[in-house]
């Protein structure tokens, strides 16, 4: 099934965030902490997290139905692996969970690095986290969305990002399943299930240093556990 055919029910998709308001509120706190402004939102859906982005927002999605639900002034129907923009077109790139539905993660990150002029913030549910494990189980049982997801581990994504950009900050929330019932402040680490990675499109430090700084990797063997 094509990705655009999976996300063909924007009202139902948005309803999930309304029903899981506490979880969504915790995720919003993380997104808000990056002070996003003037962003291209890749895989925007029906404007999820747009209330946390100031200034101009350009919504891009592969689903026409999702874009029709969007209230953005500018909407682009396109594949995130083939962005119809020139290099350095946007000061800011934002993407939430889109990477979880991308088969070619390297191609996705490469395109983000190409069009990002100043920074990118990529949020995802880590496969090696309580919520990631839960969603994978739902996917195996035939869930409408998660059965098509391609969850990635923290370190796997960091390696790809560092191929094209430099990771500058990592923040997360939802450290365990019980936090759906509580308010939580975000953490300046990647111990949570919902993780946002800020990166700049210039690589100026070795991969091992970035992984050690953000993931507590073993300095002697930074990528041995991939």
């Amino acid at each position: 099934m094509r990705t655009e055919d999976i996300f063909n029910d924007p009202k139902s998709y948005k309803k999930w965030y309304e029903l899981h308001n506490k979880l969504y509120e915790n995720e919003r706190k993380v997104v808000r902490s990056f002070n996003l402004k003037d962003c291209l939102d890749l895989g925007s859906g029906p404007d999820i997290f747009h209330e946390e982005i100031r200034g101009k927002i350009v919504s891009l999605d592969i689903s026409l139905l999702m874009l029709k639900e969007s209230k953005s002034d500018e909407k682009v129907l396109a594949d995130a692996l083939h962005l119809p923009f020139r290099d350095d077109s946007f000061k800011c790139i934002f993407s939430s969970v889109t990477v979880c539905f991308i088969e070619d993660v390297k191609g996705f990150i490469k395109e983000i690095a190409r069009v990002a002029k100043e920074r990118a913030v990529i949020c995802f549910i880590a496969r090696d986290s309580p919520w990631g494990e839960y969603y994978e189980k739902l996917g195996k049982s035939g869930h409408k969305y998660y059965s098509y997801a391609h969850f990635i581990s923290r370190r796997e994504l960091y390696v790809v990002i560092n191929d094209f950009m430099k990771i500058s900050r990592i923040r997360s929330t939802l450290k365990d399943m019980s936090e759906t019932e509580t308010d939580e402040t975000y953490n300046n680490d990647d111990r949570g299930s919902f993780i946002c990675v800020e990166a700049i499109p210039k690589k100026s430090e070795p991969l091992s240093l970035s992984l050690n700084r953000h993931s507590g990797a073993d300095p002697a063997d930074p990528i041995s556990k991939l």
Side-chain angles (χ1 to χ4, degrees):
M1 182 180 288
R2 300 178 306 170
T3 304
E4 57 266 42
D5 294 329
I6 301 169
F7 296 97
N8 59 4
D9 189 356
K11 287 183 169 35
S12 175
Y13 185 82
K14 199 167 186 176
K15 187 70 174 179
W16 186 95
Y17 288 90
E18 295 171 357
L19 292 174
H20 300 84
N21 183 62
K22 190 62 67 177
L23 187 155
Y24 179 39
E25 195 58 41
N26 287 331
E27 293 176 346
R28 284 177 58 186
K29 290 176 185 176
V30 181
V31 175
R32 186 183 307 140
S33 72
F34 288 95
N35 296 312
L36 298 172
K37 182 180 180 182
D38 299 333
C39 296
L40 168 66
D41 182 1
L42 296 181
S44 61
D47 297 347
I48 305 300
F49 296 114
H50 281 196
E51 66 271 28
E52 306 304 338
I53 303 175
R54 296 178 293 117
K56 180 180 178 180
I57 304 174
V58 177
S59 293
L60 183 144
D61 207 287
I62 200 170
S63 168
L64 179 59
L65 292 175
M66 286 289 187
L67 284 178
K68 285 183 175 180
E69 192 71 15
S70 170
K71 295 181 174 60
S72 294
D73 292 330
E74 293 191 35
K75 309 173 189 178
V76 179
L77 181 67
D79 187 334
L81 292 174
H82 305 283
L83 298 176
F85 308 114
R86 296 178 181 175
D87 295 359
D88 304 324
S89 296
F90 295 89
K91 290 183 178 180
C92 163
I93 307 295
F94 173 71
S95 178
S96 177
V97 305
T98 300
V99 71
C100 300
F101 294 90
I102 295 285
E103 292 189 22
D104 182 6
V105 175
K106 186 172 183 177
F108 178 61
I109 299 300
K110 184 178 181 180
E111 276 292 85
I112 289 177
R114 182 182 67 80
V115 302
K117 184 177 182 180
E118 296 181 2
R119 64 171 175 158
V121 174
I122 303 162
C123 301
F124 71 111
I125 299 292
R127 185 180 68 218
D128 49 337
S129 71
W131 279 100
E133 293 172 0
Y134 174 66
Y135 290 149
E136 276 205 317
K137 288 180 181 178
L138 289 181
K140 290 176 181 178
S141 66
H143 188 276
K144 178 178 180 180
Y145 297 124
Y146 303 128
S147 59
Y148 297 97
H150 309 282
F151 292 104
I152 189 170
S153 73
R154 299 166 172 87
R155 293 171 62 80
E156 286 172 329
L157 184 58
Y158 300 162
V159 168
V160 177
I161 291 175
N162 271 289
D163 280 343
F164 303 100
M165 295 181 282
K166 173 186 173 183
I167 294 176
S168 54
R169 283 186 291 182
I170 296 179
R171 291 173 175 167
S172 68
T173 189
L174 305 176
K175 288 181 293 185
D176 56 58
M177 302 297 289
S178 66
E179 287 171 358
T180 56
E181 303 298 330
T182 62
D183 288 317
E184 180 190 354
T185 57
Y186 64 83
N187 303 290
N188 289 302
D189 55 42
D190 62 0
R191 290 179 294 171
S193 297
F194 181 79
I195 302 168
C196 292
V197 183
E198 180 185 63
I200 57 177
K202 286 186 178 181
K203 186 175 179 181
S204 60
E205 70 178 15
L207 169 63
S208 58
L209 290 180
S210 181
L211 289 177
N212 291 342
R213 180 157 54 89
H214 294 299
S215 285
D218 181 356
D221 192 11
I223 58 174
S224 63
K225 297 181 180 180
L226 287 178

